[in-house]
Amino acid sequence: MKEAEIRRLLAANLLCVFSVILTAVVPAFFWDGFTVLGTHLAWLCVCSVCVSTLNIILHLVLKPNLSPKRSSFAQKISRFLKCCIYFFMSCILFHAIIVLYGAPLVESVTETFLFAVLLSTFTTLQCLCVLGPNIQAWIRVFSKNGAMSIWESSLQITTMCSILGAWFGAFPIPLDWDRPWQVWPISCSLGATFGYVAGLIIAPLWIHWNRKQLTYKSR
Amino acid sequence: MQRWPVLLFLAWVCFLFFAGIGLFMSGFLLTRIELASSSSCSDPLVPPPWERQSLPPGSCWAPQRFSKAVLVIIDALRFEFARFNPAKASPLPYENKLSFLHHLATSQPRHARLYRFRADPPTATMQRIKGLTTGSLPTFIDVGSNFATYAIQEDNLLAQLVQNGRRVVFMGDDTWEGLFPKKFFRSYFFPSFNVKDLHTVDNGILQHLYPTVDSGEWDVLIAHFLGVDHCGHKHGPDHPEMTKKLTQMNEMLRSLVDHLGNDTLLLVAGDHGMTETGDHGGDSEKEVNAALFVYSKTALFGAGPPEEPEAIPQVNLVPTVALLLGVPIPYSNIGEVMAELFSGDGDTVSAALQQLSVYHINAKQVDRFLHSYSLVAQDLPAEQLQRLQELFSSAVEEHSQLLAQVQGVTLVPPELESRLGSLIGRFQLYLREARAVCTQSWARFHPLRMVGGCTLIAASCLLCYVASELAAASDSFYRSCLLYPLLWGSVVAVLLGLARVFTQEGLDLLLVLSWAAAASQLGFFWHWWGRHPKRARLAGSQPPLASVGLRQRLRAWLGLAFPMGILLFRCGAMFSDSFVVAEARVAPFLLASLVMLLVGKLHWDGRLTVPEGPKQQLLGFSSYRREIWYLLCLVAMLLVCVRLSGFFHQCREEIPQCRPSLFLSPLASLRNTRAKNLFYLLCVALLAGLVYAVRSWLRHYGNLNSSDPLVLFVRWGFPLVVLCIACYWAVASSADDSLGKLQELVQVAVVAFPWAVYGLASVGLLLLLCNPMTVFAKDTRESAGSIVTPYLGVPSSEVDFLHVIPQIYKRMQESQKSRLEQGSCKATVAAYGLGSVYSAALVIALTLLGFLLMLLHSERLSLAFLLLFLEAFMLLHIHTRARDLAGD
């Protein structure tokens, strides 16, 4: 059971990794002059949209959180609306945190906001897919020994890796190398993306490595 | 703990830090050896064509061209101030104001010329005066001594003028008085210290300038105007006051030129420029670019001016003025003569020959200086000196050959002309390279000493950390960790001293001290390490390390590694140029990361959530504790404060396109009166708010109850200081001419209020040092006095009984009453403010220092100070909250 589920997780994560890679490569065929560095804002949009659609599709197909109750259509709609509101709020929150960390307040607002959207896609959207709009469950998952399934462990790892990647991405900005990727927010969004990809790859491996220690509490 | 070992230990730690910092500074700050020798008229530097007999009387080394000179120094005269661009339709307040210079330069192109006058950093006034008179480069070590000026020991232009019997008259900045004591024939000094005072110095000079010029009792007249610089400091260059000041200077120059004779050379020079905020001292383009204007009523130049004004280093003025006035060039000069001033009226060949001869004198003097400097100090690289020597001797040789050819020939062949040109070029090359070599080697660091100093400081920090863990140890701690290291250190110091004495080398005190410090540190760590295993064995009740899993140890190490990594990164960033430039953004980023990391760690460990009951376990849900919101609010407020403090950024000169924060400019630079008043009220309100917050904090913790002098000072002295600062701001930010008759009062107030603040703050600090305790002890125990009046023998009368019995009754009543009131509690000693006894003293000291700093900064920075206090407060609160949460 566990082995099979880890394999399913690995497959899903690899799909996400491929989608991220494809967003960097494929649009160049349809769109003249598209590069990740040159038209960074476009790439940010494409990447966010692709990763979020893929995540939603995977969530619908794999159904990692099997809810025992059948819910009515109205409940589904309200859940969906709640998810949308949560996602939007997390974008705003990330934007505020990024500004508090020193991003420019007025100029390049678009860049900062799109970066916040990307970060939300890598973190909040995952949470929404796996846990639903349930803040208390989120609080539980992001604490020690709080994960109850391999999906939640994977969620922990990818989220932390994305945020760490974005944090480390800020370090090259002051250096005087004059590279195109040192411009705000390219290094941070690239760092977040690399962190996300690394988290996706690390998560199944780590779970596989520690499968003896990981004893999930049953509900 | 005994008192003396602790004091000795602290003194030793201080010594360690001082040794480390001293060693680092000796390698980092640039130093140059000043030579004591000076040039004299009889030095054998005179070139062949002007043998000593052929020199006109009163001339040394070269024939005198001008018998008199006026040097007008306008402090902080940036090149843009002096330049005139008639095409500019709407000039800025500082542009196109010195129109008279432009008029002279266009109407008499062979008499007047404007130059860019490149100052060598540091661009502080005293260093510039030194450079302008000695012709050498004052190094950074001099910067610190700007406020305590001391006499120039090196050979300089003024000393040469006085030595050769010229009468030097000075008027203006009193910095010159300290630099050149008893050198002036006559002098009018005016105080330069009050930078808000725009007019005292200038009006004083103007009062004496024309009568002195007309009296003719002078050979060299120096006038140092400070108004433009002070206007920059007070209002910034982009302000109507600057227009007034520059217009005044223009009028001054116009009437000065009317008073000058035909044999007088006029030099108008700025000693440095200023930045957009009116500051100077660094090496940015705007600070370094000053203006120099040369004029004389007899023709000076052979040809018209070049299209774009030429840029010349400031040191070039020294040899030029010296040779034009016929005095020897100062000994340590490394400047190059401005040869176009020596071309005279003759044809090109004779002009070139004249230029060659002054170059020859100049080169010989520089060569002599380099030779004697390399004998004293080893910091000039030998191979470069060798190359310079070769360059010099070949040029001199060719010069003498040329002279032999030219002598006696009336018509100079054209090919000789080109040889003359190339020879001038070679002399120029020699002089420029010599200057470059000097600049380079005087700007050289000693990496070994810097690394050594850094290591000493880092080891001292580690030592403090180790000692803080050992602090609660017994007497043997002092023996092994204080006495032995001190012994080691002194032994090493004595040994080194003896070795130096026997090898007859010069004793470098700093090196000996640092070696002693290093040895004592080694001793400390050696003994600490020796005690370490014993402590581990003593604590043997804990499970041995081996049984703890590798994974857990790794995890514990990782948990510590992240915050430590942030701290180390902060230290390491000091060694990276880019991160130092971006420090204003890096430090808040790391602080925010540290705080967020703290919250994240608490969350991850489950400290923020309610401990799981059976219900929560069943549902798999968790919820936050109630008190968590306080912590989160503090974190959010701290982050907002940190971000807000970014609005007070000052630009570094490495980033020329950066615009400094508007809040940095003083209130006086605001032109809109309403905005000025509004900002003034805001600043005063913020200052009062800061003091109110500090006082209410102290009151809350009960530190304002006693009647100690310190507490009284906090209660009454703090508002008084605020009042003084507010008054000073009001006086300093007002426009000059708006006050009319009150002018004299304002002059007094501008000085009196800062003195009052300094006095009050130092009184406060002294009180704090004498008695830092702000604890109020209240004793409610029953006094042990006698209950009744003592027994005086047998009561003789009824009166005595009547006296005693009411007393006993009263006493019983009192004791019953107190027992009833307090219930079962016994009478106690209450001490107010005991819990915050250390922090209260610290807060008071910091507030006092904050007052001093606020007085020195511009008014609108008071908000930054308030933010600083708030940040510290919130950081400490977050720390205590987090400890509380992590503890249970």
Side-chain angles (χ1 to χ4, degrees), chain B residues 484-666:
Chain B
Y484 292 142
L486 284 183
L487 275 178
W488 280 46
S490 45
V491 163
V492 166
V494 166
L495 278 181
L496 269 179
L498 284 180
R500 284 298 172 94
V501 167
F502 282 122
T503 52
Q504 299 292 319
E505 274 182 55
L507 190 71
D508 190 351
L509 192 67
L510 191 70
L511 270 185
V512 172
L513 285 183
S514 0
W515 277 112
S520 59
Q521 270 186 345
L522 271 182
F524 175 85
F525 285 117
W526 175 263
H527 284 284
W528 172 72
W529 193 251
R531 286 160 55 91
H532 196 66
K534 276 184 237 156
R535 287 196 305 133
R537 251 175 274 138
L538 281 176
S541 54
Q542 287 170 1
L545 280 174
S547 72
V548 180
L550 182 77
R551 183 189 300 271
Q552 270 168 323
R553 265 200 292 168
L554 199 71
R555 200 162 283 170
W557 182 79
L558 268 180
L560 204 65
F562 215 66
M564 278 294 169
I566 291 180
L567 197 67
L568 275 181
F569 182 82
R570 176 84 185 93
C571 295
M574 289 292 146
F575 295 98
S576 154
D577 210 25
S578 317
F579 280 107
V580 169
V581 169
E583 198 185 358
R585 285 180 296 150
V586 171
F589 178 83
L590 292 180
L591 180 64
S593 308
L594 210 55
V595 174
M596 294 293 257
L597 186 72
L598 179 78
V599 175
K601 179 94 170 56
L602 283 176
H603 187 274
W604 179 253
D605 290 342
R607 304 285 184 191
L608 302 189
T609 46
V610 179
E612 285 183 30
K615 194 179 161 204
Q616 271 102 3
Q617 232 160 21
L618 194 74
L619 292 169
F621 295 150
S622 312
S623 58
Y624 280 129
R625 295 168 177 227
R626 195 70 52 75
E627 59 264 44
I628 215 63
W629 298 111
Y630 184 62
L631 179 72
L632 287 184
C633 279
L634 280 177
V635 168
M637 269 160 62
L638 178 74
L639 291 184
V640 169
C641 281
V642 167
R643 187 70 177 84
L644 280 181
S645 59
F647 286 109
F648 297 92
H649 69 280
Q650 169 70 288
C651 284
R652 296 180 65 93
E653 58 213 25
E654 286 92 339
I655 317 166
Q657 70 272 16
C658 159
R659 308 292 301 173
S661 157
L662 286 176
F663 295 110
L664 288 178
S665 56

Side-chain angles (χ1 to χ4, degrees), chain B residues 340-351:
Chain B
E340 64 269 30
L341 285 166
F342 292 89
S343 46
D345 296 326
D347 56 68
T348 45
V349 174
S350 72

Side-chain angles (χ1 to χ4, degrees), chain B residues 182-196:
Chain B
K182 301 196 187 86
K183 284 281 194 294
F184 300 111
F185 177 71
R186 192 178 298 151
S187 53
Y188 307 94
F189 295 117
F190 301 99
S192 63
F193 190 72
N194 180 9
V195 292
K196 306 265 167 159

